[in-house]
Amino acid sequence: MLGGMYALIAMGLTLQYGVARIMNLSYGEFLVAAAFASYWLFTGWALNPLVGLAIVVPTGFGVSMILYRVLLTPLVRRAATRDALEVDSILATFGMMFIVQGIMLTMFGGAYFSYSFLSIPVAVLGETLALNRLIAFGLAVLFGVALYLALTRTRFGTAIRAVAVDPAAARLVAIDVTWISAFAFAIGGALVAAAGVLISMFLTFSASSGVVFTMKALIVVVMGGVGNLLGCLVAGLALGLSESLVATFVDPGLTLAVNFALFLGVLLVKPAGLFGRAQR
């Protein structure tokens, strides 16, 4: 279940980076912002988090679209190459990370927050699991399958994949690369908002927790292969399983070390990621 959540978190980033070529270092902050929004809706308005998804996810899409149009479009226009755009986007989103984090610290302080929602024990294959974790995992799978089918079974998904592979060639077949990139970035924002709501149902979080989620999302994206959803899923599951095994049988304090050890091990064997293809 932990691996499934990591995969959902990283799916949005793999869209933003794989299609729009934006390395969004403020990604985790938007996840935490969605978690706070769910917390506020649940504690202040008694709104079920699953219903809150219908509010938070479209909001995440809209905010990400505005962010791309206002902050990132000028960078796209001035960048001579996609590599130059990556460098510029890293600097811009690094600053955005501190802005969003500062706003959340001002509003909520540095304390940890959580709320109790469907914390009901459920027996599954002889193991006792919390119902909220099962629901979160089920929705993560649903979102992942829906995204995969949209990208592989629709003309619009084909256009998104074409921009990810070669934006110059995509323009030759009348694909609006600028609009597709903005839309893919916004979809990534909607996915991270969904992940924030689901994670808030069973994890504690604070205004400064975003950097941890950004780091793990980057590990999953690079380890699975940039822009590859299947690689994202496999890498997320591998990361979640390794963390759980080490925390259970060795020491919970070593989970971060295992994350990077697994990450470096994969890159030593396959520098382009598990399902990535090396550039020539």
Side-chain angles (χ1 to χ4, degrees):
M1 289 191 294
L2 184 62
M5 294 310 301
Y6 285 159
L8 175 62
I9 293 171
M11 278 180 189
L13 186 60
T14 202
L15 269 181
Q16 292 183 343
Y17 182 50
V19 180
R21 222 59 188 179
I22 301 296
M23 180 54 73
N24 186 5
L25 295 186
S26 64
Y27 190 77
E29 269 57 42
F30 285 99
L31 183 146
V32 175
F36 272 117
S38 180
Y39 171 84
W40 178 71
L41 289 171
F42 183 76
T43 58
W45 296 84
L47 189 65
N48 187 313
L50 301 179
V51 178
L53 281 170
I55 299 174
V56 178
V57 171
T59 302
F61 179 91
V63 169
S64 297
M65 180 65 80
I66 293 171
L67 177 64
Y68 187 90
R69 292 294 190 184
V70 175
L71 177 65
L72 299 175
T73 297
L75 301 182
V76 174
R77 288 173 178 167
R78 81 174 190 181
T81 63
R82 299 190 89 186
D83 292 337
L85 176 59
E86 288 181 33
V87 175
D88 290 345
S89 67
I90 287 173
L91 295 174
T93 57
F94 186 65
M96 178 60 66
M97 176 184 73
F98 289 106
I99 293 173
V100 177
Q101 187 180 111
I103 293 172
M104 290 189 295
L105 283 170
T106 301
M107 295 176 64
F108 301 101
Y112 280 85
F113 291 80
S114 65
Y115 58 90
S116 179
F117 175 72
L118 293 181
S119 301
I120 304 169
V122 178
V124 179
L125 299 177
E127 296 290 336
T128 301
L129 303 171
L131 180 58
N132 51 13
R133 290 175 179 262
L134 289 173
I135 291 174
F137 178 74
L139 288 174
V141 172
L142 180 63
F143 291 147
V145 171
L147 179 63
Y148 176 79
L149 292 177
L151 291 176
T152 58
R153 298 290 187 271
T154 66
R155 289 176 60 86
F156 189 73
T158 302
I160 291 177
R161 289 186 290 121
V163 172
V165 173
D166 192 335
R171 288 190 178 91
L172 298 178
V173 291
I175 295 176
D176 188 340
V177 172
T178 302
W179 190 86
I180 290 290
S181 298
F183 189 84
F185 188 88
I187 288 292
L191 286 172
V192 76
V197 173
L198 296 179
I199 283 175
S200 72
M201 297 193 307
F202 60 88
L203 284 183
T204 58
F205 52 91
S206 71
S208 56
S209 300
V211 64
V212 176
F213 293 110
T214 300
M215 179 194 67
K216 291 186 178 181
L218 286 172
I219 290 176
V220 172
V221 168
V222 177
M223 192 165 71
V226 175
N228 192 298
L229 285 182
L230 179 59
C232 192
L233 173 62
V234 173
L237 290 174
L239 201 67
L241 286 172
S242 64
E243 278 195 16
S244 298
L245 289 172
V246 170
T248 302
F249 297 109
V250 186
D251 186 344
L254 293 176
T255 54
L256 191 60
V258 170
N259 285 345
F260 281 105
L262 183 63
F263 174 64
L264 293 174
V266 169
L267 292 188
L268 284 174
V269 178
K270 294 204 67 176
L274 293 172
F275 293 87
R277 287 181 291 182
Q279 299 292 326
R280 295 184 179 181

